[in-house]
Amino acid sequence: MFPPNAQPPDGVSDDSARCVEDTLTIRRCAACNKLFAPLTPACSACASEDLEWVPSSGAGSIVSWHNFGRSWRAARGENYSWVTPRTFRRGGGTAVDNAYGDPERAARQLGNNKAVAKAHYIDETAPDNREVLERWARGERPKT
Ligand SMILES: [Zn+2]
């Protein structure tokens, strides 16, 4: 389920779980067996798009977004108040895109399509030049 007033990412429905003939089912990656709720178009662990519906064990629990938010804020405290799902997604999407120069790869990590990842999560304002700048600051120059 998505939080109230939120829209699922493009290509993802809000069907986190289904009841099929009185059996609660959930999506599972056929390649690595990771379970997903909410849904994602691909496995975040192995990038497989082979997701299947399997019966849920019922061992999980439902947590309201409000209760999760309260616990999350308490765990972050003042020092990490900037850490939000959005900053994590932006940081992760940008890191993957910068590392591989591949917004499609970052989009798959985020569970979005490339257009959504580029519009909302990949920061293209400045490339990550820290390694080059740190070498430059140490006086190391590129070999010509
Ligand atoms: Zn997988």
Side-chain angles (χ1 to χ4, degrees), residues 8 12 26 53 66 73 79 81 94 102 118 129-130 134 141:
V12 178
I26 190 169
W53 287 102
H66 295 289
R73 283 189 297 277
N79 290 341
S81 62
T94 300
D102 183 357
K118 288 183 81 165
N129 294 318
R130 287 178 291 183
E134 287 175 13
R141 299 290 183 262

Side-chain angles (χ1 to χ4, degrees), residues 28-110:
R28 179 179 68 190
C29 174
C32 73
N33 293 330
K34 183 174 178 169
L35 298 170
F36 295 96
L39 289 181
T40 177
C43 176
S44 60
C46 72
S48 171
E49 294 179 0
D50 188 10
L51 304 178
E52 58 192 1
W53 287 102
V54 296
S56 169
S57 69
S61 61
I62 297 173
V63 177
S64 98
W65 286 97
H66 295 289
N67 290 342
F68 173 78
R70 185 179 313 117
S71 299
W72 182 244
R73 283 189 297 277
R76 290 181 313 192
E78 294 269 332
N79 290 341
Y80 298 102
S81 62
W82 59 271
V83 177
T84 65
R86 182 167 174 79
T87 59
F88 253 53
R89 290 180 63 75
R90 283 187 67 90
T94 300
V96 170
D97 182 57
N98 286 345
Y100 296 100
D102 183 357
E104 179 67 36
R105 187 177 184 136
R108 291 184 71 185
Q109 177 65 40
L110 296 167

